[in-house]
Each structure stands twice: as C-alpha cells, then as structure tokens.
Amino acid sequence: MTSFYPGPSQPYPQVRGYLAEAYDSGILGQNHRSPAFVDLARQTVGLMKEKLAIPADYHVYFVSSATEVWEILAQSLAHRLGSLHLYNGEFGQKWAEHTQRLTGQARTAAFGLEEPLPVQAGGGPTLLCLTHNETSNATWLAPPVLLAQRAAWPGALVAADATSSLAGVDLPWAALDLVFASVQKCFGLPAGLAVLVASPRAVEAALTVGEQAHYNSLAHLHARALEGQTTHTPNVLGIFLLNRVLAQVPPIAQVAAQTHARARAWEEFLAGHGFRLLVGQASLRSPTVLAVQGSPAWVSRLKSAALDQGLLLGNGYGRWRADTFRIANFPALGEAQIAQLQDFLAKFGSE
Ligand SMILES: *Cc1c(COP(=O)(O)O)cnc(C)c1O
C-alpha cells in the first residue's frame, strides 16, 4: 500500500532499516542528558542546517508537534507582542484561534483562495503568523511574497508554519524568523516529532520577553539547546530517524528542483486527463500538495477505487472535505509509486 496522504505520509523506504539500527545502537535506552544523546542532537541540528540551507546563526529546537509550536509562540511571544494572522485556509485559521484563546489579542486578516497574500505594512514589533503551505487547500506562499512581506514590515517577527513544505522546497530564510514543521509530512518520517527554527532576532525577542512559565517556553528551549539538550525527555527515536533521513537526502536545492518538476508534471497530467484542480491560479498552487475538485459522490467513488488498488489518497480537509481529494507530492514518494497512481487516475477518468 502506498500513501499519498499529505500527512501522516508515506515514510522513506529506508526508515524500516533505520528503526532496527536505532534499536541496535543502544540510543533508545540513553538518558537525554547523556553524551550519546547530546552528540546525536548536535549532529542532527548540524545536518539539518547543512541539508536545508538554514543560516548558520539560526537555532533549531526539537519539539513534539506543529500544534505545540502554535502554543509555544503564543505563550512566549504573541502574549506580549500581539499577533496578526494572515490565512486562507483551515490550518492558518486554527493557529489564529488557538492563539486567540491563549492571548486574547490575535488579530486576523483572512484572504481568498485565489488571492495572493495581502502583504501587511507596519513598523513596530508584532508576531506575523503565515502559513507557508496551507495543507487544507493546497496553496503556498512563494518566496517573492515572503520577501515583500518582510520589506513591508521590517520590525515584525515573521513566523511561518511550513509543516507540509519544510524539507520539500527551499525557503527564503532572510524573510523568516520562526519556521516550524512536524516530520510526518515532507521529511518522510513517522509522526511524533517537530522542529522549530529561530532566527537570532526571534531568540533575542524571546529572551527580552523572558516568559519562563512553561516547560516548553522558547527561552527554556533555547537555553537547553545551547547544551545540546531538550527541556524534557524527547522523542529520541524520532530524532535518530530524522538524523538518518537527513544524512541520506540530497541538499535542499536538489530536492526542491525535483519537487517543482514533479508538481509541474502532476499538473500537466491532471489537466491532460480532464481533472480539475481546486486552485485556479498556478502561482498560488502548492508544489508539495495537490487538491483535485469534483462532486462529493465522484470524489468518494474515486478514493475507494484507489484504495482497492493499494493507493491511499488524502481526504479533503475542513470546508473542502467532501468535494476535493489531496495528493501529496512529498520527496519520499518514488517515481514508480507516482506512475502507479497516474495509471490508476488515467483509467478511472475525470468526472
Ligand atoms: C499537519 C499540519 C499541522 C499539524 O501538525 P501536527 O503535527 O498534527 O501538530 C499544522 N499546520 C499545517 C500547515 C499542517 O499541514
């Protein structure tokens, strides 16, 4: 069975061997303050910065989920700085709602599915919350719009939820202060671990705010990370698997070129066979997740026929649940698996 679900997604085939390797290495029984763990954590952060082309002065923290990061940013930064959430889909909206419940001062600017990000201008500090890849409707924020947002509000800390894009495409790091992702999407790993990347400016802001009331306060995460440690017993297995997958994958420029080429090929294939994408504007379409639209009855028939062939498609999400299905274009999927799905779709036919 092959999963084209955009999270949890098909893990890299090599993960099977890495699981056994983790067990045999003895790391799973090691204390998270032990030199063995500190070595693993430091090496993994180094590999992540190298393979994902993260600037040398940015910091990387291990946390449990992207949802947890929404809370970390709310309690450690937005509580004091306020936040402004720009979104066009379900994940961006949920992030805004979580933050509002925790801080009572989350402002929002929703925009339409076929509209570009409405760039916000301003001067003073705030936390700008952007969804880099909106997994619910298969839209993304291309580098130029992120750079434009940075230039329009240079005093803002820009946070980007890149859960379904980090490790699949390249990011314009200079435009971003806080980037996070859980690993069960583009990293091709099992769920239960997330990474949070912070710019020096973001760390400085967290230390100035000085919020220390939570075990996962940004200031605590940072202090522990300087020692190669975590605030709590982390997902050591997840970190081990992340280490091995990062060692295996090519540099992000190469991965991104493949992701974009495959996305173009998918779009041509779907258009050529009469399928209708949810998003009409090509420049707004995500390179890592595709959403195909149709009547609920047809979508449902197609998904179950695919499952009969051992192909798991992603359900639609939120307001797009019934009339779309989603296809992950994540790096862990192989050419043969993609060919198998395209073969199925060509035979099943468009609506
Ligand atoms: C999947 C996803 C999340 C939630 O990830 P968890 O690991 O379940 O917390 C958040 N944001 C986006 C954009 C996602 O795709």
Side-chain angles (χ1 to χ4, degrees), residues 276-290:
R276 190 168 83 246
L277 289 167
L278 171 64
V279 184
Q281 295 269 347
S283 63
L284 303 177
R285 276 183 214 139
S286 160
T288 53
V289 180
L290 295 108

Side-chain angles (χ1 to χ4, degrees), residues 65-68 70 91 131 133 135 161 163-164 182 184-185:
S65 69
T67 306
E68 184 193 19
W70 294 345
F91 285 100
T131 306
N133 201 69
T135 321
D161 180 343
T163 299
S164 54
S182 30
Q184 74 272 18
K185 302 195 181 172

Side-chain angles (χ1 to χ4, degrees), residues 162-194:
T163 299
S164 54
S165 51
L166 187 65
V169 292
D170 217 343
L171 285 163
W173 291 101
L176 304 168
D177 296 295
L178 294 142
V179 175
F180 56 93
S182 30
V183 300
Q184 74 272 18
K185 302 195 181 172
C186 273
F187 284 93
L189 286 165
L193 177 71

